[in-house]
Amino acid sequence: MSPLSARAELVEVLSRSVRGKLTPNAPLAPLVWFKSGGTADWLFEPADQEDLQAFLAKLDPKVPVMALGLGSNLIVRDGGVPGVVVRLGKTFASVERLDETTLACGGGASGILVSSTARDHGIAGLEFLRSIPGTVGGFCRMNGGAYGREVKDILLTCNVVLRSGELIHVPLADMGFRYRHSALPEGAIVVSARFRGVPGEAQAIQAEMDRIAAAREASQPLRSKTGGSTFKNPDGEKAWELVDKAGCRGLTLGGAQVSEKHTNFLINTGEATSAEIEALGEMVRDKVRRASGVDLQWEIQRVGRP
């Protein structure tokens, strides 16, 4: 038996012991914003944290594991994702008030839910999460941010399940945060986090959330199949300006296009493949490099087999 088939057999055996849902050859395109890409060898939706830990502890360490949130900052390549993709469901989507300025949030809770719960309890400073189309787990891993704020500004601690199945408690100081990056190891999954804001008035908090929502609606192609901000902002510059100056606004490749509305967004105009979307991004990077000498870095994660 080949190592690959042996691992597949092991996952099948494990599927009979988990309480959550384990699906082979699971289509990922419906779960990501670009609506493109291949399948996951296995998609695991754990029943709870203990189920996730037990599954990972028994899983062959050579089998790769990747967490999937709302799929907003992601290109899943057309050949699919090897190993196991973990998607945290409703069990991980709770948000609770701990004290006057602190929220306990599940790793599967959306930015909108977190910011709205903060508003309801008069906790300000978390409004920017309203504009991040992802989950707590994703924006803790990536130090997500918008409108002058980042997760590092509000995070106290998070609980992380390692690839081994071990649960660890990681304080802010150990997250290794920098721009759109954390020091969390590969295969680690953020299952919960604690955020701290400041006391505020619900009406003022809602007004700030409305301002952010209106700004996003006016400047971003929110009703398109997109992945959000494509490239990181270089020091002292804005990625969209560099893309625009390089003449890439509206640039197309197959079914993929650089947004006319916001040039740091790529969109799937219909039936684009992930290969077309990624290749268009590389085309933009090349044009920017030639035009300004700046080597744009991907912000969107690209995963899987070509």
Side-chain angles (χ1 to χ4, degrees):
M1 182 182 294
S2 71
L4 189 62
S5 58
R7 290 175 203 162
E9 182 176 306
L10 174 61
V11 176
E12 284 197 53
V13 170
L14 287 175
S15 71
R16 294 191 282 273
S17 64
V18 298
R19 289 177 289 111
K21 185 178 180 182
L22 189 60
T23 307
N25 301 313
L28 294 178
L31 304 180
V32 299
W33 279 33
F34 273 124
K35 303 304 177 190
S36 67
T39 62
D41 287 355
W42 295 89
L43 177 66
F44 181 43
E45 298 167 282
D48 50 34
Q49 179 183 298
E50 290 72 24
D51 194 32
L52 173 62
Q53 288 183 253
F55 174 79
L56 293 178
K58 295 175 184 176
L59 185 64
D60 184 339
K62 295 178 182 178
V63 177
V65 172
M66 183 195 91
L68 175 65
L70 295 185
S72 59
N73 193 245
L74 189 68
I75 293 175
V76 173
R77 293 182 173 124
D78 300 310
V81 179
V84 179
V85 173
V86 176
R87 190 166 186 245
L88 303 183
K90 292 181 179 179
T91 309
F92 297 87
S94 63
V95 180
E96 300 177 355
R97 173 184 176 273
L98 293 181
D99 59 39
E100 289 185 355
T101 57
T102 308
L103 294 180
C105 309
S110 69
I112 290 177
L113 178 60
V114 175
S115 58
S116 298
T117 305
R119 174 205 60 208
D120 294 345
H121 291 291
I123 301 174
L126 280 67
E127 296 91 341
F128 75 101
L129 296 178
R130 165 70 178 78
S131 67
I132 302 178
T135 59
V136 167
F139 49 69
C140 282
R141 170 171 280 280
M142 294 295 292
N143 187 25
Y147 299 95
R149 301 272 284 169
E150 295 179 309
V151 167
K152 70 177 180 62
D153 300 320
I154 60 172
L155 182 70
L156 292 176
T157 62
C158 58
N159 288 325
V160 179
V161 174
L162 299 177
R163 173 60 185 82
S164 63
E166 179 189 0
L167 177 69
I168 61 171
H169 181 72
V170 186
L172 171 63
D174 294 341
M175 286 294 286
F177 277 144
R178 50 188 170 86
Y179 179 60
R180 302 299 177 266
H181 173 84
S182 76
L184 290 176
E186 191 170 342
I189 299 172
V190 177
V191 292
S192 63
R194 292 189 177 189
F195 296 133
R196 174 164 291 165
V198 295
E201 296 293 331
Q203 189 172 353
I205 295 169
Q206 183 61 56
E208 176 63 6
M209 290 170 62
D210 290 344
R211 184 192 70 80
I212 289 172
R216 289 186 71 225
E217 182 72 35
S219 64
Q220 300 176 11
L222 301 180
R223 304 186 192 285
S224 301
K225 292 184 282 187
T226 182
S229 295
T230 305
F231 305 110
K232 298 177 182 179
N233 288 323
D235 288 342
E237 302 194 71
K238 294 187 181 298
W240 76 265
E241 289 181 343
L242 294 169
V243 174
D244 207 17
K245 289 176 182 177
C248 297
R249 186 179 293 269
L251 184 68
T252 62
L253 178 65
Q257 182 184 41
V258 176
S259 171
E260 300 256 9
K261 192 171 187 179
H262 192 310
T263 53
N264 198 27
F265 282 64
L266 302 180
I267 60 176
N268 178 354
T269 63
E271 301 299 325
T273 63
S274 290
E276 289 172 341
I277 296 168
E278 186 171 4
L280 178 60
E282 290 297 337
M283 186 185 301
V284 169
R285 292 183 70 223
D286 183 62
K287 286 180 176 291
V288 169
R289 195 180 300 115
R290 291 170 183 269
S292 64
V294 176
D295 187 18
L296 288 178
Q297 299 301 306
W298 285 91
E299 181 169 331
I300 287 179
Q301 290 184 289
R302 293 145 296 136
V303 300
R305 300 169 286 236

